[in-house]
Amino acid sequence: MNNNEYEKYYVPAQSPWPIVGAIGLFCIAFGAGNYVNDVKNEVTGFGGYLLLAGIAIIIFMLVGWFRNVIDESMAGMYSKQLDRSFRQGMSWFIFSEVMFFCAFFGALLYARVFSIPWLGGASNNAMTHEVLWPAFEAIWPLTTTPSGQVTEAMGWNGLPLINTIILLVSSVTCHFAHVGLEQDKRKQLKWGLGITVLLGVIFLFLQVEEYTHAYQEMGLMLSSGMYGNTFYLLTGFHGLHVTLGTIMLFIMFLRIVIKDHFTPENHFGFQAASWYWHFVDVVWVCLFIFVYIM
């Protein structure tokens, strides 16, 4: 077989970005640990500054690394095989995120299906109920903690329902933009993507409003027992993912509007951000059903 039949596979030169990212992650982990300890002991330490430095290093690394990748892609250095490698990498990343949320949904399932009935004396746990928490009632959500703190459960209507509609609409506009890109309709692409980014920002703003209402008026806090823990961990981490997805789509929007990047044949950067956004939408639908409605 002639060697010319093999397609090229671009191998980049040695890069400083992996070690820069490792340093940033170390600073974040070490700084966050010290910061939490400083807050707990009411002392002034370097943990907070180290945490901020780590975040700054990670942002610097991401900007530099992705700039190199964009330049290489626009220079035509990448082959179809490398494009498949990018797709596999993004697929595995989204799969890891699915497993991440499965762990939290699994914790919620265990608490509701096993822990609560056991604390209420179900099966052979009558003595467990009598010894640990005699006044406990096996109902969900748990609005009363073992310490006697009473809170309220967040209803599904109001802001949660509005946010659900916003994310579902944003998924449609994101797909609308993707179709516009594939059909080389730049105006449709720009409008669809711009509206998607705007809806993501509105979602985050309304979630802040929801948290403010929960803390100030409902007494629902992270310390509000099992219900408060699962509520804020699930919705909070999802909000973090929405923030990341919004940033990714905003960067794609800037590349399209300012640099006129992406073509119908070459647009995996946009496609990867679109995949991630649809994943975030699906997670919210599951979260809305199992956390808010049920």
Side-chain angles (χ1 to χ4, degrees), residues 56 81 98 130 140 159 216 254 256 284:
Q81 175 60 38
V98 171
E130 293 296 329
W140 185 267
L159 290 179
Q216 295 181 354
L254 293 180
I256 292 168
W284 176 261

Side-chain angles (χ1 to χ4, degrees), residues 244-271:
L244 178 59
T246 303
I247 293 173
M248 292 168 62
L249 291 176
F250 181 66
I251 293 174
M252 299 302 113
F253 181 74
L254 293 180
R255 290 182 61 186
I256 292 168
V257 173
I258 299 176
K259 297 291 187 178
D260 200 31
H261 284 181
F262 304 122
T263 65
E265 297 78 22
N266 183 18
H267 58 269
F268 176 69
F270 174 87
Q271 194 173 34

Side-chain angles (χ1 to χ4, degrees), residues 19-90:
I19 186 63
V20 172
I23 294 173
L25 291 176
F26 173 80
C27 291
I28 289 176
F30 195 72
N34 280 273
Y35 176 72
V36 171
N37 187 63
D38 292 342
V39 172
K40 181 179 179 181
N41 294 286
E42 298 182 355
V43 299
T44 302
F46 63 90
Y49 298 105
L50 189 60
L51 174 60
L52 293 176
I55 295 174
I57 292 173
I58 290 296
I59 293 174
F60 172 73
M61 179 270 294
L62 290 174
V63 172
W65 201 341
F66 278 100
R67 181 179 58 190
N68 290 350
V69 172
I70 291 171
D71 291 341
E72 292 166 356
S73 177
M74 298 304 296
M77 297 180 178
Y78 294 161
S79 63
K80 293 182 179 180
Q81 175 60 38
L82 193 57
D83 182 69
R84 288 191 290 269
S85 297
F86 279 128
R87 294 174 184 275
Q88 291 174 0
M90 190 63 188

Side-chain angles (χ1 to χ4, degrees), residues 158-178:
L159 290 179
L161 179 59
I162 295 174
N163 268 345
T164 302
I165 296 173
I166 287 174
L167 274 192
L168 291 177
V169 173
S170 73
S171 187
V172 174
T173 56
C174 184
H175 178 70
F176 182 75
H178 194 180

Side-chain angles (χ1 to χ4, degrees), residues 232-247:
Y232 281 109
L233 285 176
L234 278 165
T235 59
F237 274 116
H238 178 267
L240 179 63
H241 284 72
V242 172
T243 303
L244 178 59
T246 303
I247 293 173

Side-chain angles (χ1 to χ4, degrees), residues 134-152:
F136 176 77
E137 296 182 14
I139 58 174
W140 185 267
L142 294 177
T143 55
T144 303
T145 66
S147 63
Q149 178 185 358
V150 178
T151 185
E152 297 181 42

